[in-house]
Amino acid sequence: MTTSTPTRAAVTEPDRRLPALGGFAPGALGIELRRVLRNRRTLAFTLIMPGVFFLIFGLPQGGQSLDNGRPVTAYIMISLAVYAAMVATTSVGGAVATERALGWSRQLRLTPLRPAAYVATKLITAMSLGLLAVVIEFLVGAVAGVRVPAYVWLLSGLAAWVGSLVFAAFGLFIGYLAPAENVMQIIGPVLAVLAMFGGLFVPVEVLPDVLQQVAKFTPVYGMGVLARAPLTGDGVSLAAVANLVVWALLFGVGAARLFRRDTARV
Amino acid sequence: MTSTHPAVELDGLTKSFGAVTAVDGLSLRVQPGEVVAFLGPNGAGKTTTIDMLLGLSRPDRGTVRVLGGTPDDAVARGRVAAVLQTGGLLKDLTVGETVRMTAHFYRHTRPAAEVLERAGITDIADRVVGRCSGGQQQRLRFALALLPDPDLMVLDEPTTGMDVEGRRDFWQALRRDARRGRTVIFATHYLDEADAYADRIVLVRQGRIVADGTTAEIKNLAAGRTVRATLPGADQAALAALPGVDAVEVRGDSVLVRTGDSDAIARHLLTRTAARDVEITSRNLEDAFLALTTAQTGA
């Protein structure tokens, strides 16, 4: 130690090393999660509304069975779980738009937090809320009397949750597309239309022929088919897997490109 | 501090936006421990310079060194921190949460309670940011900047939009802190702030430094007087050529002559020209500021 100025002598020299993982920290993630769970609108649209939908549209189908004898209510419950998860992950990803509009992302550039660590935090937050949305929808279903084998709960839930990663990417894509404070008010209706084409509100099979063909190319279709496959026992078509992978890539690459544009220093 | 590097070295910084040259070959060196005011009117290039100083934007030409390294590295190591006009806050976090969340991004910070105390916002730690006044939000930004205990603190017009009391509280907090030997650079267009809080004033106009010195030196630049007269069709070049004239400005029918010899100029105007309504005023810091930062002929 060399001699410091008297005012500094009592103060130890700060640790100037770079943070690990680009500033990604569980503590910040925790505050982020609490923040999301405090947002009444998010809770209403992702955790409460899908459950209420089930009680309104699902329960009246009680007693009816699918071709393989499984309850129709389970079909509706799984579809709504997919819907809940996609709204949840989109809203967290889309919040990037709000944070850009507020100037928070600029404020973050004055800290060691690397943009990739910021996006990682958003993705984990999105997937956490997505998981919570699936679990709550399944709880509502279970309490309301839906009974299926354990592997269906597990695999369908897992598929709904993992599939919602597509919409976490979609949310980020929208978030980096335009800074807007209330982006979810714009995306909400879009998600509803996509959910309809994905067979989350009514089976795709009841749609007119032309729309059925169109539906196969929309981004919810693949995750819907995959999530219901354990229940229906229908094989997983290559088209459904391809749908999921292609949309995940499209939104992922799109978000990455916009993200790079946003963080480029001009 | 054992570092021998200057806190800031800007060399030939140039930055254009389309046809507008915001910063034009600006060079500046700031030594550790200095408190420097970056003073100039709106549009002088202060914010653009600060953005380049912090690595938020890249200069078209020229180099930036902060504490001997790149701005990005200085930011990532918490050696430089800033309070900017544009940095936003999350409205749905509390003041305390904002500080704790930001602290997580660093390897090591001062305790959250300490920076809240030093920024004077301990009492509103549980308040949601969206319900804080502009001045309180600005002190929160200051608290965030204090977290890494930076060697260099940069503030861009930190009191814009605050009332008189808010400005006073903010500067008191900053002054208490500056005694710790930190280097401070702040941009302002308030003369009194530069005068009261800086050891050194750097005057900028149109992206260039037009004066640089201690507050006293800058005030000395204002020595001399201004002779104002009504003189339609004044011959600006002829007046500027008179002995002892520093600058001539024509505003409509008025002519303003800055000079060290006001008697001679007044005599000339009254005897050799059709000038009337002659006024002679001595200049103060504000005049120096205006003289140096307003577009004019000559340099």
Side-chain angles (χ1 to χ4, degrees):
Chain A
M1 267 299 282
T2 52
T3 322
S4 305
T5 54
T7 46
R8 280 250 172 185
V11 183
T12 51
E13 197 53 39
D15 183 348
R16 294 301 189 200
R17 284 175 300 158
L18 296 173
L21 302 172
F24 176 84
L29 182 64
I31 295 174
E32 185 75 34
L33 278 169
R34 271 217 306 280
R35 184 177 159 231
V36 167
L37 293 176
R38 268 200 315 238
N39 188 317
R40 289 204 192 94
R41 177 176 292 164
T42 305
L43 297 189
F45 280 97
T46 63
L47 304 183
I48 297 171
M49 206 177 76
V52 172
F53 276 2
F54 176 77
L55 299 178
I56 296 172
F57 304 111
L59 277 190
Q61 312 292 324
Q64 300 200 46
S65 300
L66 299 169
D67 292 346
N68 65 354
R70 298 257 164 79
V72 167
T73 48
Y75 186 100
I76 295 169
M77 177 193 73
I78 292 168
S79 297
L80 287 172
V82 173
Y83 176 67
M86 70 184 259
V87 175
T89 54
T90 306
S91 70
V92 175
V96 170
T98 313
E99 298 186 5
R100 287 173 68 221
L102 289 172
W104 177 246
S105 45
R106 193 171 157 88
Q107 178 71 29
L108 289 176
R109 285 169 69 176
L110 300 172
T111 74
L113 183 69
R114 303 270 49 89
Y118 170 75
V119 169
T121 304
K122 287 291 172 206
L123 274 179
I124 295 173
T125 307
M127 294 312 286
S128 304
L129 191 66
L131 182 62
L132 192 61
V134 171
V135 167
I136 287 184
E137 186 70 26
F138 277 16
L139 274 177
V140 170
V143 170
V146 174
R147 294 289 176 267
V148 288
Y151 79 90
V152 174
W153 289 112
L154 193 69
L155 293 182
S156 290
L158 205 60
W161 180 57
V162 173
S164 69
L165 191 58
V166 174
F167 280 84
F170 173 70
L172 286 171
F173 175 74
I174 297 295
Y176 280 109
L177 194 62
E181 274 207 49
N182 39 17
V183 68
M184 273 313 282
Q185 289 170 10
I186 303 157
I187 312 179
V190 176
L191 291 183
V193 171
L194 291 177
M196 201 267 294
F197 276 111
L200 300 187
F201 298 149
V202 291
V204 175
E205 291 76 25
V206 305
L207 295 177
D209 242 9
V210 182
L211 291 186
Q212 281 192 44
Q213 294 309 311
V214 173
K216 289 187 173 129
F217 297 97
T218 59
V220 183
Y221 179 83
M223 53 197 276
V225 169
L226 288 173
R228 287 185 301 254
L231 176 78
T232 59
D234 299 339
V236 174
S237 70
L238 192 65
V241 176
N243 175 291
L244 190 76
V245 171
V246 167
W247 280 109
L249 280 175
L250 276 179
F251 290 142
V253 170
R257 285 185 70 106
L258 291 175
F259 164 76
R260 278 206 201 95
R261 187 188 70 181
D262 186 65
T263 53
R265 303 188 174 181
V266 291
Chain B
M1 286 303 300
T2 55
S3 168
T4 53
H5 292 290
V8 173
E9 290 172 278
L10 307 179
D11 191 13
L13 275 197
T14 301
K15 180 78 177 177
S16 301
F17 299 101
V20 180
T21 304
V23 176
D24 190 4
L26 188 146
S27 298
L28 178 69
R29 184 175 287 239
V30 176
Q31 297 302 330
E34 281 191 289
V35 178
V36 179
F38 215 46
L39 180 64
N42 289 326
K46 303 188 298 287
T47 298
T48 309
T49 303
I50 284 176
D51 281 356
M52 290 189 282
L53 167 61
L54 295 169
L56 295 175
S57 73
R58 299 270 181 240
D60 297 339
R61 281 195 303 284
T63 56
V64 180
R65 306 287 286 173
V66 177
L67 300 155
T70 64
D72 290 1
D73 191 60
V75 167
R77 293 178 189 280
R79 300 194 68 193
V80 57
V83 177
L84 298 187
Q85 292 174 283
T86 49
L89 299 165
L90 297 174
K91 292 178 192 167
D92 54 343
L93 285 183
T94 66
V95 168
E97 282 172 335
T98 306
V99 170
R100 286 196 299 279
M101 182 183 239
T102 304
H104 283 301
F105 304 146
Y106 290 90
R107 166 78 71 166
H108 176 83
T109 63
R110 305 302 308 168
E114 179 190 308
V115 300
L116 287 169
E117 180 66 40
R118 277 159 65 189
I121 47 175
T122 303
D123 54 326
I124 56 163
D126 292 328
R127 188 174 299 178
V128 174
V129 171
R131 281 205 289 275
C132 291
S133 71
Q136 288 168 335
Q137 292 191 14
Q138 197 66 340
R139 274 185 282 162
L140 171 54
R141 288 192 190 90
F142 180 56
L144 298 179
L146 287 173
L147 273 173
D149 198 8
D151 301 321
L152 168 65
M153 173 80 82
V154 180
L155 307 108
D156 188 9
E157 312 228 350
T159 60
T160 299
M162 286 189 200
D163 57 20
V164 176
E165 194 185 351
R167 283 173 67 184
R168 196 194 57 216
D169 289 351
F170 185 85
W171 284 112
Q172 274 174 359
L174 188 76
R175 263 181 95 91
R176 273 198 303 277
D177 186 70
R179 281 191 227 113
R180 301 163 65 92
R182 208 192 295 291
T183 313
V184 178
I185 298 177
F186 66 94
T188 181
H189 58 257
Y190 294 117
L191 277 164
D192 54 336
E193 287 188 347
D195 193 12
Y197 302 107
D199 310 323
R200 175 182 168 193
I201 296 177
V202 174
L203 269 171
V204 286
R205 170 170 66 89
Q206 295 180 347
R208 293 167 187 245
I209 293 175
V210 290
D212 181 352
T214 63
T215 312
E217 284 169 344
I218 297 293
K219 277 181 173 162
N220 280 341
L221 290 173
R225 297 196 170 101
T226 299
V227 180
R228 191 200 154 281
T230 304
L231 178 57
D235 184 347
Q236 192 169 353
L239 288 170
L242 292 171
V245 171
D246 299 326
V248 179
E249 194 183 331
V250 175
R251 294 182 193 158
D253 283 348
S254 291
V255 59
L256 283 89
V257 183
R258 297 179 210 290
T259 175
D261 190 352
S262 54
D263 293 342
I265 299 306
R267 190 173 297 119
H268 173 89
L269 285 171
L270 290 169
T271 58
R272 304 285 178 87
T273 71
R276 59 181 198 277
D277 302 336
V278 173
E279 289 177 293
I280 301 176
T281 50
S282 61
R283 291 153 62 182
N284 53 26
L285 184 60
E286 184 151 357
D287 289 320
F289 174 67
L290 286 173
L292 290 162
T293 59
T294 313
Q296 63 187 29
T297 55

